Amino acid sequence: MNAFEGTLPEQGGQRRWLVPALLALLVFGALPVVLAGFDRGYFYQIANLALIFVLLSASMHLVTGVAGLLHLGHAAFYGVGAYTAALLTSKLGLGFTVTLPLSGVVAALLAFLVALPTMRLVSIYFAVATLAIGQMLYLVMLNWVDFTKGPNGIIVTKGFELFGVALSGRLASYYTVAVVVVLCVVAIGRLSHSYYGNALRSIREDDQCADAMGVRTVRLKMEVFTLSAFFAGVAGALWAHMTGYISPGDFKFSESILILAMVVVGGLGSLPGAIIGALLLILLPEGLRALGDFRNVMVGLVMFLSILLLPKGLLGEVSALRLVRRQLGGAWRSTGKGEGIGWR
């Protein structure tokens, strides 16, 4: 019997995602109407970019925040998904409805093959292995000219469509990206707050103890690594069909670091924190565009100060303050009844 079969998920974890998902869909649906007076083309471009990085950050949360595996090659699987969609479209003429799931599947299969020799590695050794794998995949995209067109990139000839019906226009593209991202994030949330998520957290806390209690740690690591790559591949397909052009420069090592920073700044182990971190690090540079190149310095300063002053991340610090307030409130009420610890 698995040691975690009788462990309950976090209270309300399975149900509490329904209301936020509906609210998210409502917000994304209302934004084009609220911002009707702004530059619509610019708004849709930034909104779609932010949504895609929300999905990337959420998928990184699954493997790094929940399972505790430091993954430094996430952008490579994002690139595998994008190249899969682009090649299926340009060479076989397949549309978005087919390329979206296939991009995730191809990225997941590649991640599974990569995981076979690496999942027994721990700590910094695993991180270095994923960094090397990410760099190898990037170099393949860059140098396999006959297949990937190398630095010239690939033009994606088809945009978004649903079962053969073209979804033309920026508004249709925006809603397509929003719906796919929300559904994927809800799926990640349900995985994180389930018996399966509890088993992954046991690996994060102490993998040797979890193994001794009957948790198949290596198998779970391979599964979560593969699942994370699947969602990264889906994000890559969204990027390819949204931009109409991809190149190896979109999937460099710096992108993996950016995704990891989103998870850390928002709060390691918190899915809402990963979402907030992604929105912050994508939208903040746009808000500081008036500063020119100096905006990159400001964004770096914000990241540095957030990690220095808020080591648990934005959501982590809020949760810690809430816990302290509850504890102090409970102690105050107990003293009023003549019980517990007295205040001096």
Side-chain angles (χ1 to χ4, degrees), residues 83 141-143 145 148-154 245-249:
Y83 270 90
M141 298 174 199
L142 183 65
N143 295 308
V145 179
T148 66
K149 306 301 181 183
N152 294 324
I154 300 177
Y245 170 80
I246 61 170
S247 67

Side-chain angles (χ1 to χ4, degrees), residues 10-308:
E10 294 182 12
Q11 292 184 357
Q14 294 285 8
R15 296 179 180 177
R16 68 181 183 179
W17 285 101
L18 179 59
V19 173
L22 294 176
L23 288 176
L25 285 173
L26 180 62
V27 169
F28 291 133
L31 274 177
V33 178
V34 174
L35 301 176
F38 292 83
D39 183 353
R40 302 293 290 270
Y42 174 75
F43 161 73
Y44 289 131
Q45 181 181 2
I46 298 304
N48 286 338
L49 179 64
L51 286 168
I52 289 172
F53 271 90
V54 163
L55 179 53
L56 288 169
S57 180
S59 60
M60 173 71 89
H61 155 78
L62 191 61
V63 68
T64 299
V66 180
L69 302 175
L70 182 56
H71 186 8
L72 298 180
H74 202 56
F77 298 104
Y78 170 45
V80 168
Y83 270 90
T84 299
L87 290 170
L88 289 175
T89 300
S90 61
K91 293 183 179 296
L92 301 179
L94 299 179
F96 172 74
T97 309
V98 179
T99 62
L100 181 71
L102 285 181
S103 297
V105 169
V106 171
L109 287 175
L110 185 59
F112 177 77
L113 294 176
V114 165
L116 289 174
T118 59
M119 280 303 144
R120 294 189 181 276
L121 299 175
V122 295
S123 186
I124 191 65
Y125 305 103
F126 175 80
V128 171
T130 57
L131 187 155
I133 291 163
Q135 286 300 99
M136 285 189 293
L137 291 174
Y138 166 72
L139 291 174
V140 168
M141 298 174 199
L142 183 65
N143 295 308
W144 195 358
V145 179
D146 293 337
F147 189 62
T148 66
K149 306 301 181 183
N152 294 324
I154 300 177
I155 296 176
V156 184
T157 56
K158 291 186 178 182
F160 295 109
E161 55 90 21
L162 185 63
F163 301 109
V165 179
L167 302 174
S168 59
R170 292 168 178 166
L171 185 62
S173 298
Y174 167 76
Y175 282 134
T176 302
V177 173
V179 170
V180 172
V181 170
V182 168
L183 291 177
C184 289
V185 170
V186 170
I188 292 171
R190 290 181 64 85
L191 281 172
S192 301
H193 299 86
S194 64
Y195 300 112
Y196 186 79
N198 284 352
L200 293 176
R201 290 184 183 87
S202 72
I203 298 174
R204 180 189 65 190
E205 298 301 325
D206 191 330
D207 58 344
Q208 293 182 351
C209 180
D211 187 63
M213 295 179 68
V215 177
R216 298 179 178 178
T217 56
V218 175
R219 176 180 172 180
L220 282 176
K221 288 178 182 179
M222 292 181 63
E223 289 176 355
V224 73
F225 190 77
T226 303
L227 281 171
S228 176
F230 172 83
F231 289 112
V234 170
L238 290 174
W239 172 256
H241 285 282
M242 184 194 78
T243 60
Y245 170 80
I246 61 170
S247 67
D250 299 331
F251 316 109
K252 296 185 293 186
F253 173 66
S254 58
E255 296 298 302
S256 295
I257 297 302
L258 176 61
I259 299 167
L260 179 61
M262 293 172 178
V263 177
V264 173
V265 168
L268 198 61
S270 168
L271 180 55
I275 295 171
I276 291 174
L279 294 175
L280 177 65
L281 294 186
I282 293 298
L283 299 180
L284 182 61
E286 298 303 321
L288 299 176
R289 182 173 288 274
L291 299 178
D293 293 337
F294 188 66
R295 63 179 176 155
N296 295 324
V297 178
M298 296 300 297
V299 173
L301 182 62
V302 169
M303 293 172 61
F304 174 76
L305 292 177
S306 65
I307 294 174
L308 181 65

